[in-house]
Amino acid sequence: MTDALVIGAGPAGLMAAEELARGGRAVTVCEARPSPARKFLMAGKSGLNLTKAEDVATFTAQFVPGWIAPFVAAFGPEAVMAWARDLGQELFVGSSGRVFPVAMKASPLLRAWLSRLDGLGVRIATRWRWTGFAADGLAFETEAGTRILRPRVTVLALGGASWPRLGSDAAWVPWLAGRGVGIAPFRPANMGFAIDWSAHMTPFFGQPVKGAVLAAGGQRLKAEFVISRRGVEGGGIYALSRPVREGAQLVLDLLPDRTEAEIRRRLQAVPRRHSLSNRLRRALGLDPVRIALLQEWGRPLAGEDAISRRIKALAVPHAGPHPIEEAISSAGGIVEGSLTDELELRALPGIFAAGEMLDWEAPTGGYLLSGCLATGRHAGRAAAARR
């Protein structure tokens, strides 16, 4: 009989494997893909954002629903940074508080981590795809055919439903649901929104929108976003994606540092013989991309009153979120009521779950990775202690 099994070699699974091994267990990690942590490596290509340097209360408040917060608090920003440094990764904190390895990429950290796991005796079996429950164990399709494992304890860390091409395809949902595990439907998170642009917006595809404040669902933030061929995306959009996905109106303030009255006075000072674009540029310093958005969504723009109102509260009409396959992360998964405080499945004693399989979401900016590491750590420790 296998002693301790981890299914999934992403950050949550590798952290669970490390804790199991430190707890004296003989650990096997089964990974369906040809190599571990492929989504982790892809996420780190533009700079591996490990966590965010802020106090634990502020950090954990970003996680929804709140039941996930205690696991994150137990392995918060300082602990994540200490863990990465212990793997030989020098870190720096950016101006926004985001924490990155000096190397920026994920691959050096992953190599060091895999080396440490190897030293702890962790065995990683790639191209082992879990295919569900057998009569007396867990079934896998491997290059050598079907294999059945009967572990004493198991940690599931198979990811959610975003980026299925890298392994997070939620194929496990019917297998767990069929065994009495409650699962909230998956929904896209940290995603863009579809917009049917008019032809005049074509020259702006790929351009960032700077200097605006975005608002939705009672939240406001000053952040950049990007106009793409299919809609809007980028950090500012992702940060508000949850309330917008749930039906809140997304609104832009194109000139957050000026009042509506001041905008009106400045527009009145520029003669109307000039085109609207020239008046907006001369009076207000609006760049071409913000002018284009105002003309795309703000019409009719008849008179200074209407223009100033639209500049301060420009509603963004969209056709819904981009598909979950294109989302950075997913919301939904195994619900709180199906788990013990140790992240053990109530319906399946001896089987624990971690990472994006669980029903939680958080914004980008270091929160997602921290959540996966924290829940993997907790599940691994609890599984190691189970007899």
Side-chain angles (χ1 to χ4, degrees), residues 82-168:
W83 168 80
R85 290 190 181 105
D86 196 46
L87 284 168
Q89 303 305 300
E90 188 178 348
L91 308 176
F92 73 93
V93 180
S95 58
S96 65
R98 296 183 178 192
V99 179
F100 301 86
V102 170
M104 289 299 286
K105 297 180 180 179
S107 51
L109 186 150
L110 180 60
R111 284 194 300 269
W113 197 6
L114 293 175
S115 177
R116 182 157 79 185
L117 291 172
D118 183 63
L120 290 168
V122 174
R123 172 179 173 260
I124 299 178
T126 57
R127 295 189 171 91
W128 275 58
R129 179 177 297 278
W130 185 38
T131 56
F133 295 96
D136 58 347
L138 301 165
F140 294 84
E141 285 300 322
T142 76
E143 292 179 310
T146 300
R147 294 289 184 269
I148 308 296
L149 297 183
R150 302 171 183 85
R152 290 185 173 86
V153 292
T154 301
V155 177
L156 303 177
L158 291 117
S162 65
W163 293 19
R165 67 188 184 279
L166 297 179
S168 297

Side-chain angles (χ1 to χ4, degrees), residues 312-358:
K312 293 299 292 181
L314 184 63
V316 178
H318 63 83
H322 286 161
I324 196 167
E325 295 83 3
E326 301 172 15
I328 292 175
S329 60
S330 56
I334 301 171
V335 299
E336 178 188 9
S338 286
L339 297 156
T340 70
D341 291 343
E342 301 305 322
L343 297 181
E344 186 173 14
L345 298 175
R346 296 183 186 277
L348 297 166
I351 298 181
F352 300 75
E356 285 194 72
M357 291 183 74
L358 308 180

Side-chain angles (χ1 to χ4, degrees), residues 15-77:
M15 183 61 84
E18 180 171 342
E19 294 299 330
L20 280 161
R22 291 189 185 281
R25 297 284 194 157
V27 185
T28 298
V29 180
C30 291
E31 166 58 45
R33 310 296 290 185
S35 58
R38 303 189 85 166
K39 185 176 177 181
F40 176 69
L41 289 171
M42 180 65 74
K45 278 197 169 181
S46 58
L48 180 64
N49 187 187
L50 282 171
T51 188
K52 191 170 184 182
E54 57 191 11
D55 67 86
V56 171
T58 302
F59 191 80
T60 56
Q62 298 296 319
F63 290 79
V64 178
W67 67 271
I68 206 77
F71 308 116
V72 179
F75 196 66

Side-chain angles (χ1 to χ4, degrees), residues 193-197 226-233 322:
F193 289 84
I195 292 174
D196 184 17
W197 299 110
V226 176
I227 295 173
S228 70
R229 179 179 58 83
R230 298 173 53 236
V232 290
E233 50 196 276
H322 286 161

